[in-house]
Amino acid sequence: MAAAANAMRDIPEASDYSKALIKVHLASLGIPYDDMSRPLVGIVNSWNEIVPGHLPLREVADRVKAGVRLAGGVPLEFNTIAICDGITQGHAGMRYPLPSRDLIADSIEAMVNSHRIFDGLVFITACDKIIPGMLMAAARLNLPSIFVTSGPMQSSTDAAHRKNIRKQFLQGQMDERTFVQESLGFYFTPGVCPFLGTAITGLIICEALGIMPIGTSLIPNGTNLRFQAAEEAGKRIIGIINEGLTPSKILTKNAFYNAIRVLMAIGGSLNWILHLPDVAKEAGIEITWDDFDRISRDTPLLTEVTPNGPYSATDLYRAGGVPAIMAELGDLLELSQPTVDGRHLGQAVSNARILGKNIIHPASSPVSSEGGIAVLKGSLAPDGALAKVSATPEELRTFSGKARVFNSLEECTAAVESNIVSPGDVLVIRYEGMRGGPGMREMHRITEESSLLSRLAVVTDGRFSGATAGLSIGYVRPEAYDGGPIALVEDGDTILIDMPNRRLDLEVQPDILERRRSNWVRLERRGLPPFLEKYRAERKY
């Protein structure tokens, strides 16, 4: 009998007769009657055959279930959706991944709260919006929970080779077949994309929060250690249930501050400045963009994983992984935080050491004295915009240029491909925010294509991939759809980007802007699918 009361047994509106009928249904699955008194564990899997990070999750789930059974529990698996951000990049399909995050959280809530049979949950996750969607569900449901993943792909070539062949293809120096074959060296196996994108950043954050076993987020896919970690997590969930260790005891304000600190120390994906406040909100905690900027200012940048540098997620794992980073941050973290391991964070990382100082720098000689992300504010972004300083060349961190304005990603792409933008321009891509898009598409492909030109900036109310490098300012608030100053920018306006002083300014006189505002007409995208219309109506920052 689990120490945490089984939800089915603890629901007052369920009569004895209803409970008996529930057991009839479970028995029809082949579960012996006597096993129904054991802990029932929901295995929340996002496996599919489309997303590289999720293809391995079928075998991972089998190992998790084996661990649950060995520890005396009964595993019951169900699925949720998963969208591949890589496949949706650069076209209209990119409007769906961010809205899918909330759909994932809602679908898990529906499965768990409708059936009311689970003592605990194992979340098996891998990629960009699935990780925060599952974190939101875990916080919302507050059943004993643990997170498991497939781990990063293993690569046979490095990030420099990946970047070089992409450049060759964009310049017409390589045909498509050769490009695909050459690219497979970096994407050598299924698994999570091995750069510091939203997915790898999210797995690291799960570990920093304490909701994923310490030391397991970056174990490479397909290895014996990865399968052992899955089985151990299956065993451990029974202990978590018996201890009554719910997410509300792990996902505290200090845990979120720890996660933000680690995010800054690795120079991780900007997307997590969207996700972490929403996960925290599900836990009844308020996290603001000011918290991110405050923490970034006194957090050393310790790693140079691509796009910040030449290394992969697997390199980071071999250099000591997340435990070594957290140990190096030391007292900058709240080390008394509980973790799903059953130990507090300080105990969990006490024996961690840096094994590759060229990959993880000691805090005494960091890559930079400040974290990898900055929140910029100013006349173009009164409520803030985000910059990944760690992936921006130092000589571009202060930049002034003339605006070239586009009302969609497609308009900007056409201009870049037609060679009608020039070095020194600031490409302003607007009406790509949460409501204007809707869905807040990533502008990653345009940054890759525009990288062929020197001294070019991108400013947008859309967002960026964790893999984006270069002078890219995104997430501008308020967005154009809501009448933010970005809606008033015209071709030729001067825009000043000043990362060291956290400024993003439109250098146009206030009276001119007011005149433009009086003539402003919101751009509306018509004929949207119902799902996106619903998202636009309901979602704001």
Side-chain angles (χ1 to χ4, degrees):
M1 184 80 167
N6 185 297
M8 178 182 72
R9 306 178 194 109
D10 198 40
I11 300 303
E13 67 267 23
S15 67
D16 289 344
Y17 179 57
S18 293
K19 291 176 184 178
L21 287 175
I22 290 170
K23 292 183 179 182
V24 170
H25 284 278
L26 294 176
S28 73
L29 300 174
I31 300 173
Y33 177 81
D34 290 339
D35 283 359
M36 293 181 203
S37 62
R38 299 184 180 193
L40 299 184
V41 179
I43 311 299
V44 189
N45 198 351
S46 50
W47 172 86
N48 64 44
E49 293 182 328
I50 301 169
V51 186
H54 294 251
L55 182 65
L57 297 184
R58 175 73 278 122
E59 190 167 2
V60 170
D62 288 342
R63 297 299 289 265
V64 168
K65 289 189 283 188
V68 171
R69 293 187 185 101
L70 284 170
V74 178
L76 295 171
E77 183 180 355
F78 64 91
N79 279 75
T80 187
I81 65 167
I83 294 175
C84 180
D85 283 55
I87 296 174
T88 61
Q89 284 285 352
H91 56 80
M94 178 44 77
R95 293 195 172 103
Y96 282 89
L98 185 57
S100 79
R101 184 201 70 176
D102 298 351
L103 185 61
I104 289 163
D106 291 347
S107 70
I108 296 168
E109 176 197 337
M111 284 294 290
V112 173
N113 277 351
S114 61
H115 294 110
R116 297 182 181 270
I117 59 174
F118 296 117
D119 290 290
L121 301 167
V122 180
F123 291 87
I124 306 181
T125 188
C127 293
D128 295 32
K129 307 309 171 294
I130 300 87
I131 300 168
M134 287 190 173
L135 283 171
M136 289 166 66
R140 185 185 302 174
L141 293 164
N142 202 33
L143 285 170
S145 299
I146 193 168
F147 275 62
V148 179
T149 186
S150 57
M153 298 174 176
Q154 301 184 62
S155 300
S156 62
T157 58
D158 59 22
H161 177 74
R162 170 179 172 266
K163 183 177 181 180
N164 184 51
I165 61 174
R166 289 188 175 209
K167 184 176 181 180
Q168 289 181 52
F169 182 74
L170 286 169
Q171 292 177 331
Q173 298 171 6
M174 181 180 290
D175 65 66
E176 184 180 82
R177 179 183 293 275
T178 304
F179 173 68
V180 171
Q181 292 302 319
E182 288 288 323
S183 295
L184 288 178
F186 192 70
Y187 301 97
F188 196 58
T189 66
V192 180
C193 292
F195 45 79
L196 199 55
T198 306
I200 288 295
T201 301
L203 297 178
I204 291 171
I205 280 174
C206 286
E207 196 173 326
L209 285 169
I211 200 76
M212 179 178 283
I214 302 300
T216 65
S217 67
L218 298 181
I219 300 172
N221 170 61
T223 60
N224 289 331
L225 286 175
R226 170 53 63 200
F227 295 131
Q228 289 174 26
E231 189 164 312
E232 288 302 315
K235 294 177 185 176
R236 177 60 193 146
I237 187 61
I238 303 304
I240 293 170
I241 291 168
N242 290 334
E243 294 159 21
L245 186 57
T246 57
S248 62
K249 297 175 182 177
I250 294 173
L251 300 179
T252 65
K253 193 155 197 172
N254 282 333
F256 285 101
Y257 286 163
N258 283 349
I260 295 170
R261 185 81 65 184
V262 172
L263 171 66
M264 298 305 168
I266 63 173
S269 169
L270 295 171
N271 281 323
W272 279 93
I273 301 187
L274 288 183
H275 299 319
L276 274 173
D278 286 345
V279 176
K281 185 178 180 181
E282 296 286 357
I285 295 166
E286 183 181 12
I287 299 291
T288 70
W289 281 19
D290 289 340
D291 291 319
F292 288 87
D293 197 60
R294 171 180 55 80
I295 292 171
S296 183
R297 288 175 184 270
D298 65 358
T299 302
L301 178 65
L302 301 181
T303 69
E304 294 183 283
V305 175
T306 188
N308 303 330
Y311 302 110
S312 72
T314 303
D315 294 329
L316 182 60
Y317 170 72
R318 291 170 179 156
V322 183
I325 293 169
M326 292 195 289
E328 205 58 33
L329 290 172
D331 290 340
L332 288 173
L333 299 174
E334 179 49 70
L335 295 172
S336 64
Q337 278 297 118
T339 72
V340 290
D341 299 63
R343 303 171 289 171
H344 62 64
L345 185 62
Q347 292 171 321
V349 303
S350 61
N351 295 321
R353 298 290 182 272
I354 296 175
L355 304 177
K357 291 187 178 181
N358 58 327
I359 300 171
I360 301 176
H361 292 238
S364 57
S365 56
V367 179
S368 170
S369 60
E370 292 192 4
I373 296 173
V375 179
L376 312 184
K377 292 186 178 181
S379 59
L380 186 54
D383 296 337
L386 304 179
K388 193 168 183 179
V389 183
S390 56
T392 305
E394 191 167 356
E395 66 273 14
L396 294 179
R397 293 175 187 174
T398 301
F399 185 94
S400 179
K402 300 297 183 182
R404 293 293 305 275
V405 182
F406 306 96
N407 287 333
S408 69
L409 171 62
E410 287 77 13
E411 285 185 15
C412 186
T413 300
V416 170
E417 292 179 348
S418 300
N419 296 314
I420 58 175
V421 300
S422 305
D425 286 346
V426 179
L427 308 183
V428 177
I429 310 173
R430 62 192 181 192
Y431 292 100
E432 290 288 2
M434 285 191 179
R435 282 156 51 78
M440 205 177 199
R441 288 193 288 179
E442 289 182 346
M443 305 290 113
H444 178 58
R445 289 287 181 260
I446 198 65
T447 62
E448 287 190 305
E449 294 187 34
S450 63
S451 68
L452 301 178
L453 294 171
S454 61
R455 293 189 58 79
L456 197 71
V458 178
V459 174
T460 180
D461 55 7
R463 58 193 178 89
F464 292 109
S465 164
T468 298
L471 184 50
S472 307
I473 313 298
Y475 311 79
V476 171
R477 304 190 304 177
E479 63 174 283
Y481 187 88
D482 290 333
I486 193 171
L488 308 179
V489 182
E490 293 185 358
D491 285 342
D493 289 348
T494 298
I495 292 175
L496 175 64
I497 300 166
D498 184 353
M499 292 186 189
N501 292 304
R502 304 296 205 263
R503 298 292 302 179
L504 179 63
D505 288 306
L506 175 61
E507 298 190 328
V508 175
Q509 292 299 316
D511 60 322
I512 296 175
L513 288 180
E514 282 306 310
R515 191 157 57 247
R516 291 180 187 177
R517 182 172 295 283
S518 66
N519 296 319
W520 173 67
V521 177
R522 173 188 286 146
L523 184 151
E524 294 275 7
R525 303 196 195 284
R526 306 294 182 183
L528 291 169
F531 178 61
L532 295 180
E533 285 280 17
K534 181 174 182 287
Y535 185 79
R536 179 164 67 182
E538 295 179 353
R539 188 69 191 183
K540 290 186 179 181
Y541 272 117

